[in-house]
Amino acid sequence: MAAPIQKLARIACQCFSRKQHDTVFKEQMNNLKLALNSITAKDVNFDPKSVTDRTSEHDAPVTYVHIWEDDIFTMGIFVVKSGGKLPMHDHPNMYGFCKVIHGSVHLKSYSLVSDQNIPEDVEKKLHLWQKPLVRSVGLRQDQVITSNDDCCFLSPSDGNIHEIQSAGGVAAFLDILAPPYNNSQSRDCHYYKELPMSGILGNKNVESASIENSKPTIRWFMQVPQPHEYWCDTLDYRGPPLIV
């Protein structure tokens, strides 16, 4: 019998290996989510001590465990140390799945909102060369997610910009991206920072209501270089080998 992580990889390959009819694609996506929801730290032989036992003040805030990569999808584990985070970034023209397998993370995700003019109080603080780097976004999700919760999902148009940080201690999540990042095919990772705005609504209840009503409060993000405080080190994968 194939290991759960092997089954998951095969489902991911079937889902994204070729162009599917919308109905078939949605069905396979649902199968992928169901398979991912059942994955645990035991299935990938992840032990948080493999990270905490070697932690020092000079270590990277995030550790990446590579599991699989080809032209169709990538699969790996991100281990976010206490106080660490994956800063606000995007996944252009990509689908993404995130399943917490240890600890808990605080996830904030945003969707691009089109046909918005930059407010005057934001625009006047920008240099001319910065204006093309500005994006209008709406809050899609803002919640703490644990290993007991189902996976999170992003698509090219929904929740594609997000930030993930540890919530209280070391956290780990299994990550699937399809197709993988590829600079030559306009799938390069971009980082963002939020621009201050005098009229922005900061009330969390207002934002939650906005999500439910599908009328998100507009925020303004600007593309920036990779933050200097963010980098990853690596750890070898110790789970069942994959054959896809």
Side-chain angles (χ1 to χ4, degrees), residues 37 39-40 99-105 145-150 172:
N37 287 342
I39 293 294
T40 66
K99 175 65 175 78
V100 177
I101 59 173
H102 175 77
S104 57
V105 301
I145 302 167
T146 74
S147 57
N148 294 322
D149 294 314
D150 287 347

Side-chain angles (χ1 to χ4, degrees), residues 66-87:
H66 170 78
I67 299 178
W68 181 266
E69 180 171 1
D70 59 19
D71 293 337
I72 300 170
F73 73 99
T74 62
M75 181 187 294
I77 301 168
F78 282 94
V79 186
V80 189
K81 295 158 192 176
S82 182
K85 69 177 180 180
L86 282 71

